[in-house]
Structures are given as C-alpha cells and as structure tokens.
Amino acid sequence: MKMKKAAYPYILWMAIFIVIPLFLILYFAFTTGDSQNFATFQFSIDNFKRFFTPMYLRVLGRSVNLAFVSTIICLILGYPMAYIISKAKTRKRNMMVLMLVIPMWMNFLLRTYAWLTLLGRNGFINFVITKIGFKPLELMYNDKAVLLGMVYNFLPFMVLPIYTVLIKIEKSLIEAAEDLGASKLEVFSKVVLPLSMPGIITGITMVFIPAVSTFVISALLGGNKYNLIGNLVEQQFRWTGDWHFGSSMSIILMIFILITMALTSRFDKEKEGGGGGLW
Amino acid sequence: MVSRGLKRLYTFLIFLFLYAPIIVLIVFSFNNSKSRGVWAGFTFKWYVELFKDAEILKALYYTLLVAVLSAIISTILGTFAAIGIYNMPGLSKKITLNLNYLPVLNPDIVTAVSLMALFRFLKMEFGLATMLLSHIVFCTPYVILSVLPKLKQMNKHLAEAAMDLGATPFYALRKVIIPEIMPGIITGCLMAFTLSIDDFVISFFNTGNNVSNLSIEIFSMSRRGINPVINALSTLMFVSLILLLLIINKRTEKNEMERGV
C-alpha cells in the first residue's frame, strides 16, 4: 500500500516531540551540573539517592496514598451511578450522560476554585454552620480538602468508562442467569461485575494517573505548605531550577504509572482496553 | 431490589455534588460584596470589571488563538497519520501506536517538563510558539485515536476500487477516504479544540513571560485569593457552553425533522 507514506511526517514529529523529550528527561535525571549549561553535566545517581531519603519518600507516600484513596472513593461512588444510568430509558440516559459531561467542559481550575468558595474559612458551608449556631470548621488546606478536590474532578472519569461497558452487556446473559436460578446478587456478582471489569480498569487508570501526579488541586486546596510529588516537580522546574532532581522525580512518577498499567492490564482480558473514552 | 426512591435520591445527590460548586459560583458572581459568606445585594459590577480587565481579555485572545490553531494543525497532522498508520504492516504499526499513546497515558506534568527540556535544548524562546507546539503535541494523539476506528469501519475495497477505475491515490484519498471518515475527523477536531482550551499544566510550563491563557490567569488569580471577577468569568463560560449545547441539540432535531424521522 502506498498510503502508509501519509504517516511519515507524523513519525518524524513523534521522534522530535515525544521520543527525544523523554530521553532528555532521562539524561537530566542521571546527571548533575548547572541545569542552564549542558557542558557542565556529569553522570551521577545522586538525584535518586537524594529522593530516597525519608523526607521525599514521605511526600511520595502521601501522593500515592491520596491518589489510591480517591480512586477507591470514585469507584464506590461511581459504579452505582454508572449502573443507574445504564438502566435508565434511552432519552433519560443520554440526558444523564450529558449532565455528567457538562461539568467536565468547565475549566478544570474553575471547578477546583469553586470549592474555595464553599470550603473557605468564611465560605458558604461555614456560613451555614455558624448560622445554625456551631463553631466554624477548618475545611481548607488539609488532606481532606485535597481528597475532595480529587474525587470531585475525577469522578466522571470513573463513571463514563464503566457506563460504556455496562450498556454493552447483553440482556440475554442476565436473563439466562435468572432462568438458571441465580438470585439478584448472584447475577450481579457472577455476570454483571466480571463483564464490567474492563470499564473498571479503564476508570481506575483514568482516575489514579491524574490524581497521583496532580499539583493544581494540592496547590489550590492544600495551601502553600502542602506538598505532593507533582508540586515538587513543579518547584524544581519553575522555581528552584534544579532540572536534574525534577527529572529524576518525573522518571519515578512514570515508573509508578507503568506499574499501575501493568497491574491493571493483567485484569484486562480484552487487549482493546474495553472502556470507552469520554465521547 | 433497590427501590426507585433510593435510586432517585442517589442520582440527585451525585448531581448535587457535581453542580453545587458551579451553582455557588454563578450565584456569587452577582453578589455586591467581596466576601463569600454574605449576600449584599444584586449587582453586575463584576461583569463590568471583567470586560475592563485587559489581562483577562488578552488571556482569552491567546486561549482561543492557540485552541483554533492547534485544533486545525493537529487535525491535519493526525488525519494523515491515522491513514498512514492504518495501512502499515504489523510491527511498525504497533510501535507507532504505542508511541502515539505516550502523551495520552503520561501524566500531564511529565509531558510538560519533557517538552520544556526539549525547548530548552533547542534554545527556543519560551512564548506563543512553544505553547502552540506543545498543544499540538498532546492534541494530535486524540485526533488519531478518533479517526482510526472510522478507518476500520470503512469498506476496505472502496479506495482500491477507485484506484482500479483510474483514480490516483491522492484523488482516491480526497474523494473516497476523507468523506468516509469525516465524522471521526470532526470529533477529533472538536476534541483537540476543547482539550486545548481547557489545558493548564502543559501551557503553564511551556509559555513565556507575557503570554498566558485563561487557565494560567485563573491559577495566578486564585493563588492571590478570591476574586469575584473569576466567578463572573465562570458564569459566562458556563452559559456559553449551555447555549452551544442547545444550538447543537436544536440543529440535530431540525435535521431529523427534515429527514422525516
């Protein structure tokens, strides 16, 4: 076929803008020197040594922990939602999916910022609480606020892929199970749940990856003292200027993502990544 | 058996959770006071200030400029790439597809800093050009992913038949393949556009001193504390989004009516 030539410009493009940048990050990660001057670079593994000290490991632990918890919460909240939507009648179903997608089209920062208005010290929630006669709560600038921001921003990413898989499940399979005497619970646990696994897997990766690497949510809702690994990378590249250390942390983040992908793909029997996208 | 009432309540609560912050933003964009706990009367003041704010208007201009340009360029690049990838033999197809997946799967921040390293390495001036390039980098994979399924659905023999009947490959591409995969191209283009408009992380790392888009502007404003002008901006964005949806809805209904569905 002659047509394959059509991809050559893009292959060159990918080499420049995808492959080379990653090698540059690798190169930065395994060297030290003055980040501004390529001539001063020396091979070393100091960046990684520096990272594997209690202070930075704590940050990594907190990031992974928060991302993990928010993924679990999204799954627990999102699965029933996806199930309810998939069971609704066509018109209502499309309406609900649309309602789920609309907030996602709002600017991501505005949505996170909106929680500031709700959670702040003299924000809306505390206003209501004090009106009732209680003391105002400290809702901002802590773990819980960051967790809330994560769940709020990424919940649709969990619901949509699961929903896409659920509507594809053949009704006859469920009827067959019922005919053979399965209870409601058995139908769900032996038929529906296993069949919706690809959607769950897609959902988990689509929530965990942005959650573990976020720096925006923690910067807005976690306050200045609040650090996740994303914030560390941002600081190294934008303020401190130590691109070598920043790159080594990016590599560690990527390794984490690869581990997640490897773990989840073992459950994914369809190699197509059965979950749907956002459209 | 879960009762209907419980289902309804659950759905209501989830949607309340998703929409409450947006509703609060909209309500407080009309509030005649800077503090958020207090309602001090109705005002359009913040909207007036929004349109007086040169910074925000400039950011809006850059946002739209970059979104339009990156949507057009990544659609063209991606469509040709998808046609090429579709016709590749096994192994090289696999490698290309996996490479193409990298910007999709990689966390934003890793894509952002790797591009930053590249532009530094090439000694490029950070500004509009670097921001535009980085947007094309992360939008194109999505275009390819929305065009490829349409190519798979297409009847393979159509292009061959055209060429057997004397069409040059380019003519077959223009007259047969492109019209067949148009829905995928349009979806990809819209996706690129919305991704670009919404992007923060990649722009934040790859822009220069006096070029910022709306997201960067919002980020720096919100770090400085609450500003009701942002509420006004969100409200306008939300309303224009809803209007857009209604227009699309009306048009599809009209088309269905005309086709006598």
Side-chain angles (χ1 to χ4, degrees):
Chain A
M1 276 303 268
K2 286 203 185 98
M3 291 280 186
K4 73 164 190 255
K5 284 200 178 72
Y8 291 173
Y10 187 60
I11 288 174
L12 180 68
W13 171 275
M14 285 202 299
I16 298 171
F17 289 102
I18 297 175
V19 181
I20 293 177
L22 285 179
F23 276 107
L24 277 172
I25 290 287
L26 259 174
Y27 177 63
F28 268 110
F30 283 102
T31 51
T32 50
D34 173 13
S35 292
Q36 309 305 321
N37 184 352
F38 276 83
T40 61
F41 289 10
Q42 306 247 317
F43 174 80
S44 91
I45 52 166
D46 285 356
N47 301 315
F48 290 96
K49 276 191 189 150
R50 184 175 157 196
F51 186 81
F52 286 100
T53 50
M55 184 177 129
Y56 291 112
L57 283 178
R58 253 205 307 280
V59 175
L60 180 69
R62 190 166 44 203
S63 308
V64 172
N65 185 13
L66 272 176
F68 182 74
V69 174
S70 66
T71 309
I72 298 292
I73 295 175
C74 280
L75 183 60
I76 292 169
L77 288 178
Y79 199 102
M81 189 70 216
Y83 192 81
I84 290 171
I85 298 177
S86 73
K87 282 275 174 281
K89 290 188 180 70
T90 314
R91 256 194 98 93
K92 202 172 157 192
R93 201 169 70 194
N94 293 338
M95 188 69 214
M96 281 175 166
V97 171
L98 188 65
M99 280 186 69
L100 210 57
V101 175
I102 286 174
M104 284 167 60
W105 284 348
M106 274 286 276
N107 189 301
F108 170 81
L109 284 133
L110 287 176
R111 274 181 291 144
T112 311
Y113 165 87
W115 284 101
L116 286 172
T117 11
L118 282 164
L119 301 172
R121 183 131 186 92
N122 29 20
F124 189 69
I125 292 178
N126 270 334
F127 172 71
V128 174
I129 288 175
T130 44
K131 269 276 178 276
I132 302 168
F134 290 100
K135 276 206 171 75
L137 299 168
E138 279 300 334
L139 300 161
M140 283 288 298
Y141 308 132
N142 54 30
D143 266 10
K144 285 192 192 68
V146 176
L147 201 59
L148 180 84
M150 285 179 179
V151 172
Y152 178 70
N153 272 309
F154 306 134
L155 183 61
F157 290 118
M158 182 66 85
V159 178
L160 287 169
I162 295 176
Y163 156 81
T164 319
V165 177
L166 283 177
I167 48 169
K168 281 190 197 144
I169 293 178
E170 300 237 2
K171 285 231 173 12
S172 55
L173 289 171
I174 293 163
E175 283 160 11
E178 282 167 349
D179 288 352
L180 294 166
S183 66
K184 282 259 179 240
L185 197 66
E186 277 176 319
V187 170
F188 180 76
S189 66
K190 296 232 160 98
V191 181
V192 179
L193 193 61
L195 283 174
S196 58
M197 218 53 197
I200 294 176
I201 299 300
T202 309
I204 288 175
T205 37
M206 281 175 90
V207 173
F208 185 81
I209 294 177
V212 80
S213 59
T214 187
F215 78 92
V216 180
I217 297 174
S218 40
L220 289 184
L221 300 175
N224 286 337
K225 289 194 285 292
Y226 203 88
N227 266 337
L228 296 180
I229 188 161
N231 304 79
L232 289 183
V233 173
E234 185 236 353
Q235 280 153 17
Q236 296 301 331
F237 274 89
R238 298 271 313 182
W239 313 109
T240 325
D242 186 351
W243 289 31
H244 303 278
F245 189 45
S247 298
S248 70
M249 285 191 283
S250 309
I251 297 283
I252 288 163
L253 254 183
M254 272 183 79
I255 290 170
F256 250 91
I257 306 303
L258 286 174
I259 293 171
T260 318
M261 303 292 300
L263 284 178
T264 49
S265 70
R266 284 185 47 204
F267 293 101
D268 196 356
K269 290 191 183 65
E270 285 178 68
K271 272 283 163 257
E272 290 292 297
L278 306 177
W279 294 75
Chain B
M1 188 65 211
V2 189
S3 73
R4 279 184 57 180
L6 204 63
K7 268 188 189 174
R8 283 221 172 126
L9 180 70
Y10 189 80
T11 314
F12 172 76
L13 285 176
I14 292 279
F15 281 130
L16 180 71
F17 173 60
L18 287 176
Y19 282 88
I22 299 174
I23 292 165
V24 167
L25 282 187
I26 292 173
V27 170
F28 279 99
S29 73
F30 298 109
N31 185 11
N32 199 354
S33 134
K34 262 208 146 161
S35 97
R36 278 150 303 136
V38 197
W39 178 257
F42 188 90
T43 178
F44 278 116
K45 172 165 86 178
W46 306 117
Y47 289 86
V48 177
E49 277 198 24
L50 174 69
F51 285 103
K52 276 198 224 148
D53 195 324
E55 285 277 310
I56 289 185
L57 292 179
K58 205 172 109 181
L60 180 67
Y61 163 74
Y62 278 128
T63 307
L64 290 173
L65 181 75
V66 170
V68 169
L69 286 176
S70 61
I72 292 170
I73 297 169
S74 55
T75 304
I76 295 167
L77 187 67
T79 304
F80 279 105
I83 292 167
I85 290 168
Y86 177 69
N87 289 306
M88 276 181 180
L91 184 66
S92 51
K93 185 176 185 169
K94 220 182 173 135
I95 293 171
T96 317
L97 273 178
N98 279 330
L99 272 183
N100 182 51
Y101 251 120
L102 268 178
V104 179
L105 293 177
N106 247 342
D108 282 351
I109 196 165
V110 174
T111 309
V113 296
S114 68
L115 283 168
M116 198 176 171
L118 175 78
F119 296 138
R120 166 65 55 85
F121 180 68
L122 297 173
K123 297 204 164 52
M124 280 176 80
E125 184 79 31
F126 280 91
L128 188 62
T130 48
M131 188 158 125
L132 179 62
L133 278 172
S134 60
H135 275 233
I136 299 167
V137 172
F138 80 86
C139 286
T140 312
Y142 290 95
V143 176
I144 293 175
L145 291 175
S146 43
V147 173
L148 271 179
K150 287 281 169 258
L151 281 163
K152 280 192 191 124
Q153 285 167 19
M154 194 179 82
N155 186 338
K156 254 209 184 95
H157 306 297
L158 276 178
E160 283 167 23
M163 285 189 243
D164 285 349
L165 294 166
T168 58
F170 186 68
Y171 190 83
L173 182 78
R174 226 177 39 179
K175 290 285 181 187
V176 180
I177 299 179
I178 301 272
E180 280 284 316
I181 58 174
M182 208 59 197
I185 296 175
I186 290 171
T187 306
C189 187
L190 284 174
M191 243 175 132
F193 185 77
T194 45
L195 281 168
S196 169
I197 275 202
D198 214 27
D199 175 69
F200 167 68
V201 177
I202 290 167
S203 313
F204 183 64
F205 282 87
N206 289 299
T207 181
N209 274 337
N210 42 19
V211 181
S212 65
N213 64 6
L214 274 178
S215 296
I216 298 171
E217 202 59 40
I218 295 163
F219 185 71
S220 60
M221 280 168 97
S222 56
R223 290 300 294 263
R224 275 177 268 154
I226 305 289
N227 184 341
V229 171
I230 304 186
N231 297 348
L233 180 69
S234 335
T235 307
L236 286 181
M237 281 174 117
F238 190 70
V239 169
S240 48
L241 181 73
I242 300 291
L243 279 177
L244 191 75
L245 282 173
L246 285 175
I247 291 167
I248 293 171
N249 211 349
K250 272 272 173 290
R251 279 193 48 188
T252 40
E253 270 179 22
K254 220 175 83 184
N255 287 346
E256 279 173 3
M257 293 277 277
E258 279 166 6
R259 272 190 265 124
V261 176

